[in-house]
Protein backbone atom coordinates (compact mmCIF):
# COMPACT_ATOMS: atom_id res chain seq x y z
CA UNK A 1 0.00 0.00 0.00
CA UNK A 2 1.49 3.33 -1.10
CA UNK A 3 0.79 6.83 0.16
CA UNK A 4 1.70 9.97 -1.77
CA UNK A 5 1.85 13.30 0.03
CA UNK A 6 1.59 15.84 -2.71
CA UNK A 7 2.28 19.56 -3.05
CA UNK A 8 3.68 20.44 0.35
CA UNK A 9 6.88 21.97 1.65
CA UNK A 10 9.14 19.32 3.16
CA UNK A 11 10.81 20.60 6.32
CA UNK A 12 13.88 18.86 7.68
CA UNK A 13 16.23 20.17 10.35
CA UNK A 14 18.75 21.26 7.71
CA UNK A 15 16.46 22.78 5.06
CA UNK A 16 12.95 23.23 3.72
CA UNK A 17 11.99 22.62 0.06
CA UNK A 18 8.99 21.93 -2.15
CA UNK A 19 8.61 18.21 -2.78
CA UNK A 20 6.21 15.32 -2.88
CA UNK A 21 6.81 12.37 -0.55
CA UNK A 22 6.08 8.79 -1.57
CA UNK A 23 5.76 6.06 1.04
CA UNK A 24 5.61 2.34 0.38
CA UNK A 25 5.15 -0.15 3.17
CA UNK A 26 6.54 1.46 6.30
CA UNK A 27 9.30 3.47 4.52
CA UNK A 28 9.66 6.67 2.58
CA UNK A 29 10.82 5.59 -0.89
CA UNK A 30 11.06 8.90 -2.76
CA UNK A 31 11.18 12.64 -2.07
CA UNK A 32 11.11 14.95 -5.06
CA UNK A 33 9.13 17.15 -7.41
CA UNK A 34 6.04 15.85 -9.24
CA UNK A 35 6.14 12.22 -8.13
CA UNK A 36 3.62 9.91 -9.76
CA UNK A 37 1.12 8.08 -7.59
CA UNK A 38 1.35 4.30 -8.08
CA UNK A 39 -1.94 2.56 -8.84
CA UNK A 40 -4.10 2.33 -5.73
CA UNK A 41 -2.03 4.83 -3.75
CA UNK A 42 -3.71 7.04 -1.19
CA UNK A 43 -3.03 10.65 -2.13
CA UNK A 44 -2.87 13.35 0.52
CA UNK A 45 -3.05 16.95 -0.63
CA UNK A 46 -0.48 18.93 1.34
CA UNK A 47 -0.88 22.16 -0.64
CA UNK A 48 -0.08 25.16 1.56
CA UNK A 49 1.17 22.86 4.30
CA UNK A 50 4.45 21.65 5.76
CA UNK A 51 5.50 17.99 5.58
CA UNK A 52 7.69 17.21 8.58
CA UNK A 53 9.15 14.20 10.38
CA UNK A 54 6.69 12.83 12.94
CA UNK A 55 7.42 14.10 16.42
CA UNK A 56 9.59 12.15 18.85
CA UNK A 57 8.70 12.71 22.48
CA UNK A 58 11.81 11.54 24.33
CA UNK A 59 10.16 11.59 27.75
CA UNK A 60 6.81 9.92 28.50
CA UNK A 61 5.39 7.62 31.16
CA UNK A 62 2.53 5.45 29.90
CA UNK A 63 1.06 2.82 32.20
CA UNK A 64 3.39 3.95 34.98
CA UNK A 65 2.92 2.54 38.47
CA UNK A 66 3.92 5.54 40.65
CA UNK A 67 3.21 6.77 44.19
CA UNK A 68 0.81 3.91 44.85
CA UNK A 69 -1.29 4.26 41.71
CA UNK A 70 -1.04 3.83 37.90
CA UNK A 71 -1.25 6.54 35.23
CA UNK A 72 -4.51 6.96 33.30
CA UNK A 73 -2.95 6.65 29.87
CA UNK A 74 -1.70 3.21 28.95
CA UNK A 75 0.49 2.55 25.93
CA UNK A 76 -2.49 2.46 23.57
CA UNK A 77 -4.34 5.58 24.68
CA UNK A 78 -1.11 7.51 25.26
CA UNK A 79 0.48 6.74 21.90
CA UNK A 80 -2.88 7.25 20.12
CA UNK A 81 -3.15 10.72 21.68
CA UNK A 82 0.40 11.34 20.49
CA UNK A 83 -0.52 10.39 16.92
CA UNK A 84 -3.41 12.87 17.03
CA UNK A 85 -0.84 15.52 17.90
CA UNK A 86 1.62 14.60 15.14
CA UNK A 87 3.88 12.59 17.44
CA UNK A 88 4.84 9.20 16.02
CA UNK A 89 7.50 7.90 18.45
CA UNK A 90 7.84 8.02 22.21
CA UNK A 91 10.80 7.17 24.40
CA UNK A 92 9.32 5.88 27.63
CA UNK A 93 11.02 4.65 30.82
CA UNK A 94 11.48 1.25 32.35
CA UNK A 95 11.69 2.00 36.09
CA UNK A 96 12.72 -1.07 38.12
CA UNK A 97 11.94 -1.04 41.81
CA UNK A 98 15.07 -0.96 43.96
CA UNK A 99 16.35 -4.57 44.11
CA UNK A 100 14.27 -5.61 41.08
CA UNK A 101 16.36 -7.17 38.28
CA UNK A 102 16.59 -4.80 35.31
CA UNK A 103 15.63 -7.44 32.77
CA UNK A 104 12.53 -8.43 34.71
CA UNK A 105 11.35 -4.81 34.73
CA UNK A 106 12.31 -4.39 31.08
CA UNK A 107 10.15 -7.35 30.02
CA UNK A 108 7.29 -6.08 32.20
CA UNK A 109 7.31 -2.75 30.33
CA UNK A 110 7.72 -4.42 26.94
CA UNK A 111 4.60 -6.43 27.73
CA UNK A 112 2.59 -3.32 28.67
CA UNK A 113 3.78 -1.60 25.49
CA UNK A 114 2.56 -4.30 23.13
CA UNK A 115 -0.74 -2.44 22.77
CA UNK A 116 0.96 0.79 21.62
CA UNK A 117 -0.45 2.40 18.48
CA UNK A 118 2.77 4.28 17.66
CA UNK A 119 6.44 3.35 17.81
CA UNK A 120 8.18 3.29 21.18
CA UNK A 121 11.53 2.61 22.77
CA UNK A 122 12.84 2.73 26.35
CA UNK A 123 15.32 4.43 28.60
CA UNK A 124 16.03 2.10 31.54
CA UNK A 125 16.32 3.63 35.03
CA UNK A 126 19.14 2.62 37.34
CA UNK A 127 17.53 2.85 40.77
CA UNK A 128 20.00 0.70 42.73
CA UNK A 129 23.43 -0.83 42.30
CA UNK A 130 24.95 -4.31 42.40
CA UNK A 131 27.16 -6.50 40.23
CA UNK A 132 23.98 -7.87 38.70
CA UNK A 133 22.88 -4.37 37.65
CA UNK A 134 26.31 -3.89 36.06
CA UNK A 135 25.89 -7.13 34.12
CA UNK A 136 22.27 -6.51 33.11
CA UNK A 137 23.11 -3.07 31.72
CA UNK A 138 25.38 -4.90 29.30
CA UNK A 139 22.66 -7.37 28.33
CA UNK A 140 20.19 -4.54 27.71
CA UNK A 141 22.61 -2.68 25.44
CA UNK A 142 23.85 -5.73 23.57
CA UNK A 143 20.61 -7.66 23.15
CA UNK A 144 17.65 -5.39 23.78
CA UNK A 145 18.15 -2.13 21.88
CA UNK A 146 18.69 0.09 24.93
CA UNK A 147 21.30 2.85 24.68
CA UNK A 148 20.31 5.25 27.46
CA UNK A 149 20.04 4.89 31.23
CA UNK A 150 18.07 7.22 33.49
CA UNK A 151 19.01 8.27 37.03
CA UNK A 152 16.61 9.93 39.44
CA UNK A 153 18.54 12.24 41.75
CA UNK A 154 15.19 12.94 43.49
CA UNK A 155 12.57 10.71 45.20
CA UNK A 156 14.44 9.80 48.39
CA UNK A 157 13.38 6.52 50.01
CA UNK A 158 12.06 5.35 46.65
CA UNK A 159 13.98 5.37 43.37
CA UNK A 160 16.68 7.97 44.11
CA UNK A 161 20.18 7.11 42.88
CA UNK A 162 22.98 8.10 45.28
CA UNK A 163 26.39 9.30 44.13
CA UNK A 164 27.87 5.80 44.22
CA UNK A 165 25.15 4.58 41.84
CA UNK A 166 25.59 7.61 39.58
CA UNK A 167 29.35 7.16 39.31
CA UNK A 168 29.26 3.42 38.74
CA UNK A 169 26.39 3.58 36.28
CA UNK A 170 27.79 6.52 34.27
CA UNK A 171 31.11 4.67 33.97
CA UNK A 172 29.36 1.47 32.88
CA UNK A 173 27.25 3.36 30.34
CA UNK A 174 30.38 4.84 28.78
CA UNK A 175 31.96 1.40 28.52
CA UNK A 176 28.84 0.09 26.75
CA UNK A 177 28.33 3.00 24.35
CA UNK A 178 25.16 4.21 26.09
CA UNK A 179 24.26 7.70 27.28
CA UNK A 180 23.46 8.46 30.94
CA UNK A 181 20.51 10.75 31.62
CA UNK A 182 19.43 12.39 34.88
CA UNK A 183 16.39 13.84 36.58
CA UNK A 184 18.29 16.61 38.34
CA UNK A 185 16.84 17.54 41.73
CA UNK A 186 18.62 17.08 45.07
CA UNK A 187 16.35 14.47 46.68
CA UNK A 188 17.66 15.03 50.19
CA UNK A 189 16.95 18.77 50.04
CA UNK A 190 13.48 18.16 48.60
CA UNK A 191 12.74 15.73 51.43
CA UNK A 192 13.92 18.10 54.17
CA UNK A 193 12.07 21.10 52.70
CA UNK A 194 8.88 19.00 52.42
CA UNK A 195 9.14 18.08 56.12
CA UNK A 196 9.73 21.75 57.06
CA UNK A 197 6.64 22.87 55.14
CA UNK A 198 4.42 20.14 56.61
CA UNK A 199 5.61 21.07 60.13
CA UNK A 200 4.66 24.68 59.41
CA UNK A 201 1.19 23.49 58.42
CA UNK A 202 1.67 24.38 54.74
CA UNK A 203 0.08 21.25 53.27
CA UNK A 204 -1.59 22.33 50.01
CA UNK A 205 -0.28 22.23 46.41
CA UNK A 206 1.17 25.71 46.93
CA UNK A 207 3.89 24.03 49.01
CA UNK A 208 4.96 21.86 46.08
CA UNK A 209 7.11 24.48 44.29
CA UNK A 210 8.37 25.79 47.66
CA UNK A 211 9.83 22.35 48.36
CA UNK A 212 11.63 22.25 45.01
CA UNK A 213 13.13 25.71 44.34
CA UNK A 214 15.46 26.26 41.36
CA UNK A 215 18.58 25.97 43.53
CA UNK A 216 17.63 22.37 44.39
CA UNK A 217 17.53 21.52 40.68
CA UNK A 218 20.71 23.48 39.95
CA UNK A 219 22.68 21.64 42.65
CA UNK A 220 21.84 18.28 41.08
CA UNK A 221 22.46 19.48 37.51
CA UNK A 222 25.87 20.82 38.49
CA UNK A 223 26.71 17.62 40.38
CA UNK A 224 25.72 15.36 37.48
CA UNK A 225 27.70 17.53 35.07
CA UNK A 226 30.74 17.39 37.36
CA UNK A 227 30.53 13.59 37.62
CA UNK A 228 30.18 13.28 33.83
CA UNK A 229 33.17 15.59 33.40
CA UNK A 230 35.41 13.57 35.72
CA UNK A 231 34.41 10.29 34.02
CA UNK A 232 34.42 11.81 30.52
CA UNK A 233 30.89 10.58 29.74
CA UNK A 234 28.24 12.43 27.77
CA UNK A 235 25.17 13.49 29.77
CA UNK A 236 21.53 14.24 28.93
CA UNK A 237 19.55 16.23 31.49
CA UNK A 238 15.80 15.67 31.31
CA UNK A 239 13.21 18.40 31.96
CA UNK A 240 15.50 21.38 32.53
CA UNK A 241 13.07 23.83 34.12
CA UNK A 242 15.10 26.76 35.41
CA UNK A 243 17.72 29.28 34.38
CA UNK A 244 20.26 27.98 36.91
CA UNK A 245 20.28 24.46 35.39
CA UNK A 246 20.43 25.86 31.89
CA UNK A 247 23.38 28.04 32.93
CA UNK A 248 25.17 24.93 34.21
CA UNK A 249 24.64 23.22 30.82
CA UNK A 250 25.72 26.32 28.92
CA UNK A 251 28.94 26.60 30.97
CA UNK A 252 29.74 22.91 30.52
CA UNK A 253 29.17 23.04 26.77
CA UNK A 254 31.30 26.18 26.45
CA UNK A 255 34.07 24.19 28.16
CA UNK A 256 33.73 21.43 25.59
CA UNK A 257 31.64 18.98 27.61
CA UNK A 258 29.04 16.91 25.74
CA UNK A 259 25.94 17.79 27.75
CA UNK A 260 22.43 17.84 26.29
CA UNK A 261 19.33 19.48 27.75
CA UNK A 262 15.63 18.71 27.36
CA UNK A 263 12.83 21.25 27.88
CA UNK A 264 9.22 20.29 28.50
CA UNK A 265 6.43 21.93 26.54
CA UNK A 266 4.73 22.59 29.89
CA UNK A 267 7.72 24.42 31.36
CA UNK A 268 7.97 26.53 28.19
CA UNK A 269 4.33 27.65 28.32
CA UNK A 270 2.84 27.40 31.83
CA UNK A 271 4.05 29.45 34.82
CA UNK A 272 3.98 28.89 38.57
CA UNK A 273 0.92 31.05 39.22
CA UNK A 274 -1.13 27.85 38.73
CA UNK A 275 -0.19 26.76 42.27
CA UNK A 276 -1.88 29.84 43.77
CA UNK A 277 -5.26 28.77 42.38
CA UNK A 278 -7.80 28.27 45.20
CA UNK A 279 -9.28 25.12 43.61
CA UNK A 280 -7.37 22.06 44.87
CA UNK A 281 -8.07 20.00 41.73
CA UNK A 282 -6.70 22.72 39.47
CA UNK A 283 -3.54 23.34 41.50
CA UNK A 284 -2.94 19.63 42.15
CA UNK A 285 -3.47 18.91 38.45
CA UNK A 286 -0.32 20.94 37.83
CA UNK A 287 1.80 19.10 40.39
CA UNK A 288 4.80 17.63 38.62
CA UNK A 289 8.52 17.70 39.28
CA UNK A 290 10.33 19.91 38.68
CA UNK A 291 7.38 22.30 39.18
CA UNK A 292 6.28 25.06 36.84
CA UNK A 293 8.49 28.12 37.27
CA UNK A 294 8.17 31.88 36.99
CA UNK A 295 8.17 33.65 33.63
CA UNK A 296 11.81 34.65 33.94
CA UNK A 297 12.74 30.94 33.82
CA UNK A 298 10.44 30.33 30.84
CA UNK A 299 12.17 33.11 28.98
CA UNK A 300 15.54 31.54 29.73
CA UNK A 301 14.35 28.13 28.46
CA UNK A 302 13.26 29.62 25.15
CA UNK A 303 16.64 31.32 24.84
CA UNK A 304 18.29 27.97 25.59
CA UNK A 305 16.35 26.32 22.76
CA UNK A 306 17.11 29.17 20.39
CA UNK A 307 20.77 29.30 21.35
CA UNK A 308 21.32 25.56 21.01
CA UNK A 309 22.06 24.79 24.67
CA UNK A 310 18.74 22.94 25.02
CA UNK A 311 18.25 20.31 22.34
CA UNK A 312 14.98 18.47 22.66
CA UNK A 313 11.42 19.14 23.73
CA UNK A 314 9.39 16.55 25.57
CA UNK A 315 6.32 16.35 27.80
CA UNK A 316 6.98 13.95 30.70
CA UNK A 317 3.44 12.81 29.78
CA UNK A 318 2.22 11.13 32.98
CA UNK A 319 -1.51 11.45 33.49
CA UNK A 320 -3.39 11.16 36.77
CA UNK A 321 -7.08 11.99 37.22
CA UNK A 322 -8.60 14.21 39.93
CA UNK A 323 -9.47 11.22 42.14
CA UNK A 324 -5.84 10.10 42.08
CA UNK A 325 -4.51 13.60 42.74
CA UNK A 326 -6.92 13.82 45.71
CA UNK A 327 -4.71 11.34 47.60
CA UNK A 328 -2.70 14.43 48.53
CA UNK A 329 -5.60 16.64 49.61
CA UNK A 330 -4.19 16.98 53.15
CA UNK A 331 -0.53 16.44 52.32
CA UNK A 332 0.99 17.83 49.10
CA UNK A 333 3.78 15.23 49.20
CA UNK A 334 1.18 12.55 48.45
CA UNK A 335 -0.18 14.17 45.28
CA UNK A 336 0.89 11.88 42.40
CA UNK A 337 3.41 13.88 40.37
CA UNK A 338 2.62 14.20 36.68
CA UNK A 339 0.87 16.07 33.86
CA UNK A 340 -0.05 15.20 30.27
CA UNK A 341 0.90 16.84 26.98
CA UNK A 342 1.93 14.28 24.36
CA UNK A 343 -1.05 15.32 22.22
CA UNK A 344 -0.25 19.04 22.41
CA UNK A 345 3.54 19.38 22.49
CA UNK A 346 4.01 19.97 18.75
CA UNK A 347 1.16 22.49 18.48
CA UNK A 348 2.02 24.60 21.53
CA UNK A 349 5.70 24.76 20.56
CA UNK A 350 4.79 25.71 16.99
CA UNK A 351 2.33 28.33 18.21
CA UNK A 352 4.62 29.87 20.82
CA UNK A 353 7.90 29.22 19.00
CA UNK A 354 7.37 29.47 15.24
CA UNK A 355 4.46 31.91 15.10
CA UNK A 356 6.42 34.33 17.29
CA UNK A 357 9.56 34.01 15.16
CA UNK A 358 11.63 32.41 17.94
CA UNK A 359 12.11 29.26 15.84
CA UNK A 360 12.13 28.64 12.11
CA UNK A 361 10.20 25.61 10.85
CA UNK A 362 13.53 23.76 10.44
CA UNK A 363 14.53 24.64 14.00
CA UNK A 364 11.13 23.35 15.10
CA UNK A 365 11.91 20.00 13.45
CA UNK A 366 15.31 20.02 15.12
CA UNK A 367 13.83 20.37 18.63
CA UNK A 368 10.76 18.18 18.11
CA UNK A 369 12.36 15.17 16.39
CA UNK A 370 15.77 15.39 14.68
CA UNK A 371 17.87 16.13 17.78
CA UNK A 372 16.15 13.43 19.83
CA UNK A 373 16.74 10.93 17.01
CA UNK A 374 20.42 11.87 16.83
CA UNK A 375 21.10 11.96 20.58
CA UNK A 376 19.40 8.58 21.08
CA UNK A 377 20.86 7.04 17.92
CA UNK A 378 17.82 6.34 15.74
CA UNK A 379 18.70 8.89 13.05
CA UNK A 380 18.11 8.91 10.08
CA UNK A 381 15.55 6.14 10.54
CA UNK A 382 13.55 8.72 12.55
CA UNK A 383 13.66 12.51 12.54
CA UNK A 384 14.18 12.96 8.78
CA UNK A 385 12.09 13.05 5.61
CA UNK A 386 14.26 11.18 3.11
CA UNK A 387 14.16 8.00 1.05
CA UNK A 388 14.95 5.09 3.37
CA UNK A 389 13.65 6.74 6.53
CA UNK A 390 10.59 5.42 8.34
CA UNK A 391 7.33 6.76 6.90
CA UNK A 392 6.51 8.69 10.09
CA UNK A 393 5.25 12.02 8.87
CA UNK A 394 3.12 14.89 10.07
CA UNK A 395 1.42 17.15 7.55
CA UNK A 396 1.23 20.49 9.30
CA UNK A 397 -1.43 23.08 8.54
CA UNK A 398 -0.01 26.46 9.56
CA UNK A 399 -3.41 28.12 9.13
CA UNK A 400 -5.42 25.56 11.07
CA UNK A 401 -6.30 26.27 14.67
CA UNK A 402 -7.67 24.45 17.66
CA UNK A 403 -8.62 25.31 21.21
CA UNK A 404 -7.03 22.84 23.61
CA UNK A 405 -9.32 21.31 26.21
CA UNK A 406 -9.49 18.22 28.37
CA UNK A 407 -13.08 17.87 27.11
CA UNK A 408 -12.01 17.28 23.52
CA UNK A 409 -8.60 15.62 23.93
CA UNK A 410 -7.93 11.97 23.18
CA UNK A 411 -5.60 11.57 26.17
CA UNK A 412 -7.04 10.29 29.44
CA UNK A 413 -6.96 11.93 32.83
CA UNK A 414 -9.55 14.66 32.30
CA UNK A 415 -7.05 17.45 32.72
CA UNK A 416 -4.86 19.58 30.48
CA UNK A 417 -2.24 22.11 31.55
CA UNK A 418 -2.83 24.02 28.27
CA UNK A 419 -6.61 24.20 28.87
CA UNK A 420 -8.30 26.98 26.89
CA UNK A 421 -5.26 27.90 24.84
CA UNK A 422 -6.00 28.41 21.15
CA UNK A 423 -3.11 27.32 18.96
CA UNK A 424 -2.55 28.26 15.33
CA UNK A 425 -0.69 25.59 13.40
CA UNK A 426 -1.93 22.03 13.87
CA UNK A 427 -1.39 18.59 12.41
CA UNK A 428 -3.86 17.88 9.61
CA UNK A 429 -2.62 14.35 8.87
CA UNK A 430 -0.31 11.97 10.69
CA UNK A 431 1.26 9.03 8.87
CA UNK A 432 2.88 6.35 11.04
CA UNK A 433 4.76 3.40 9.53
CA UNK A 434 3.26 4.38 6.17
CA UNK A 435 -0.38 4.39 7.30
CA UNK A 436 -2.67 7.37 7.74
CA UNK A 437 -3.49 7.23 11.46
CA UNK A 438 -4.98 10.70 11.91
CA UNK A 439 -6.70 12.97 9.42
CA UNK A 440 -8.50 16.23 10.23
CA UNK A 441 -9.72 15.16 13.64
CA UNK A 442 -10.39 11.55 12.72
CA UNK A 443 -8.10 9.32 14.82
CA UNK A 444 -7.53 5.89 13.27
CA UNK A 445 -4.99 4.58 15.76
CA UNK A 446 -4.76 0.79 15.83
CA UNK A 447 -4.02 -1.00 19.09
CA UNK A 448 -0.79 -2.96 18.76
CA UNK A 449 0.36 -1.32 15.51
CA UNK A 450 3.29 0.39 17.24
CA UNK A 451 6.69 -1.29 17.15
CA UNK A 452 9.60 -1.38 19.54
CA UNK A 453 12.50 0.59 18.08
CA UNK A 454 15.91 -0.89 18.86
CA UNK A 455 18.49 1.79 19.52
CA UNK A 456 22.03 0.58 18.82
CA UNK A 457 24.93 1.44 21.10
CA UNK A 458 27.16 4.31 20.08
CA UNK A 459 30.47 3.46 18.45
CA UNK A 460 33.12 2.64 21.06
CA UNK A 461 35.09 5.63 22.27
CA UNK A 462 38.69 5.40 21.14
CA UNK A 463 41.47 7.14 23.01
CA UNK A 464 42.84 10.27 21.44
ZN1 LIG B 1 9.61 11.74 33.86
Amino acid sequence: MATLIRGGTVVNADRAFRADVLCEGDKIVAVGPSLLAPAGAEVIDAGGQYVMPGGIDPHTHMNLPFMGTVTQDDFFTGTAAGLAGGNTTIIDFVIPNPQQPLLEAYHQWRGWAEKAAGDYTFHVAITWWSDKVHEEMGTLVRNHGVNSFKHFMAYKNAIMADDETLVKSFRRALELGAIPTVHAENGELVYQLQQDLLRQGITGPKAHPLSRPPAVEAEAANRAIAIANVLNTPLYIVHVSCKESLDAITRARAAGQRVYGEALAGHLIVDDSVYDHPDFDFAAGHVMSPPFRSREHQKALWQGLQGGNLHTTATDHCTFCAEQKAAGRNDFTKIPNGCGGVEDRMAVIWDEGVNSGKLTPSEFVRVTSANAAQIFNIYPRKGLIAAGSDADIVVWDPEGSRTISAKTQFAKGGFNVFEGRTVKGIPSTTVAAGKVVFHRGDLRAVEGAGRHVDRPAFAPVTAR
Side-chain angles (χ1 to χ4, degrees):
M1 171 70 187
T3 305
L4 179 66
I5 302 171
R6 181 179 272 166
T9 298
V10 170
V11 184
N12 281 326
D14 63 337
R15 65 187 181 122
F17 54 102
R18 289 296 296 272
D20 299 343
V21 179
L22 179 63
C23 311
E24 265 172 21
D26 62 352
K27 296 288 182 196
I28 296 170
V29 295
V31 178
S34 310
L35 299 179
L36 291 177
E42 181 165 4
V43 178
I44 295 162
D45 174 16
Q49 303 188 76
Y50 295 110
V51 180
M52 306 190 287
I56 300 173
D57 188 336
H59 190 159
T60 66
H61 302 280
M62 309 305 177
N63 205 115
L64 177 69
F66 188 54
M67 294 176 78
T69 186
V70 181
T71 54
Q72 292 288 304
D73 275 310
D74 61 22
F75 278 87
F76 173 57
T77 65
T79 54
L83 295 173
N87 191 88
T88 50
T89 302
I90 60 168
I91 313 184
D92 207 278
F93 294 82
V94 172
I95 306 182
N97 291 316
Q99 308 307 318
Q100 185 184 17
L102 267 49
L103 283 164
E104 179 187 299
Y106 175 81
H107 289 299
Q108 209 171 18
W109 258 266
R110 285 292 301 268
W112 292 333
E114 272 174 17
K115 57 161 70 166
D119 283 1
Y120 55 91
T121 175
F122 289 105
H123 309 284
V124 175
I126 302 302
T127 57
W128 61 296
W129 193 259
S130 74
D131 290 346
K132 181 152 167 87
V133 171
H134 179 274
E135 177 197 318
E136 289 194 315
M137 285 173 76
T139 309
L140 286 166
V141 173
R142 283 187 218 102
N143 305 336
H144 296 285
V146 172
N147 75 358
S148 52
F149 292 97
K150 164 84 173 279
H151 308 80
F152 292 91
M153 298 171 80
Y155 305 116
K156 178 181 152 84
N157 298 331
I159 51 177
M160 184 169 88
D162 59 13
D163 282 358
E164 180 187 358
T165 301
L166 294 177
V167 170
K168 289 184 170 167
S169 177
F170 281 27
R171 179 169 274 159
R172 177 65 169 149
L174 179 68
E175 186 174 282
L176 294 167
I179 182 167
T181 80
V182 293
H183 170 138
E185 282 187 305
N186 181 312
E188 186 62 45
L189 275 172
V190 170
Y191 180 76
Q192 297 300 336
L193 294 179
Q194 285 177 334
Q195 302 312 308
D196 290 351
L197 287 155
L198 290 173
R199 264 197 300 277
Q200 291 164 41
I202 308 174
T203 59
K206 214 182 165 90
H208 177 68
L210 299 175
S211 70
R212 316 180 93 99
V216 163
E217 180 181 330
E219 186 284 325
N222 277 292
R223 178 158 38 106
I225 288 170
I227 293 171
N229 186 34
V230 170
L231 302 177
N232 197 25
T233 70
L235 178 67
Y236 178 92
I237 303 184
V238 308
H239 52 41
V240 175
S241 78
C242 65
K243 182 173 186 307
E244 291 84 343
S245 295
L246 169 61
D247 287 347
I249 295 171
T250 305
R251 272 194 305 275
R253 292 179 61 80
Q257 223 182 310
R258 196 169 288 108
V259 179
Y260 303 103
E262 168 190 283
L264 300 187
H267 286 140
L268 288 163
I269 307 284
V270 179
D271 69 63
D272 58 358
S273 61
V274 293
Y275 300 117
D276 296 330
H277 202 282
D279 178 30
F280 173 85
D281 291 343
F282 182 88
H286 288 88
V287 167
M288 61 169 293
S289 298
F292 295 109
R293 306 290 193 193
S294 67
R295 286 175 182 247
E296 134 198 35
H297 293 289
Q298 270 174 32
K299 192 170 164 225
L301 295 183
W302 278 108
Q303 288 167 345
L305 272 184
Q306 291 173 274
N309 287 308
L310 294 177
H311 306 84
T312 60
T313 56
T315 58
D316 206 352
H317 187 92
C318 186
T319 49
F320 296 107
C321 67
E323 293 73 46
Q324 291 173 301
K325 293 270 184 179
R329 192 168 280 284
N330 302 313
D331 175 352
F332 72 96
T333 67
K334 298 196 166 65
I335 300 170
N337 279 219
C339 300
V342 72
E343 189 170 344
D344 307 308
R345 176 181 67 117
M346 305 278 284
V348 296
I349 290 171
W350 180 277
D351 187 52
E352 186 69 30
V354 180
N355 289 344
S356 69
K358 291 187 192 81
L359 302 174
T360 65
S362 282
E363 287 164 348
F364 172 83
V365 168
R366 184 168 289 286
V367 301
T368 55
S369 67
N371 277 350
Q374 289 175 6
I375 292 168
F376 295 111
N377 216 16
I378 48 175
Y379 189 88
R381 175 174 170 191
K382 307 285 189 189
L384 181 70
I385 302 285
S389 293
D390 279 2
D392 292 348
I393 298 167
V394 59
V395 181
W396 198 263
D397 179 359
E399 298 302 323
S401 76
R402 176 169 85 87
T403 298
I404 297 172
S405 173
K407 291 189 186 70
T408 49
Q409 72 189 8
F410 292 103
K412 303 286 180 207
F415 193 80
N416 193 310
V417 298
F418 308 113
E419 184 73 36
R421 187 184 174 95
T422 299
V423 287
K424 184 172 173 233
I426 55 169
S428 64
T429 306
T430 307
V431 175
K435 295 196 176 62
V436 175
V437 289
F438 175 81
H439 183 68
R440 299 273 178 207
D442 174 23
L443 181 60
R444 306 170 194 168
V446 176
E447 189 165 328
R451 304 160 304 174
H452 179 262
V453 180
D454 282 339
R455 293 180 296 123
F458 296 96
V461 178
T462 48
R464 279 158 293 174

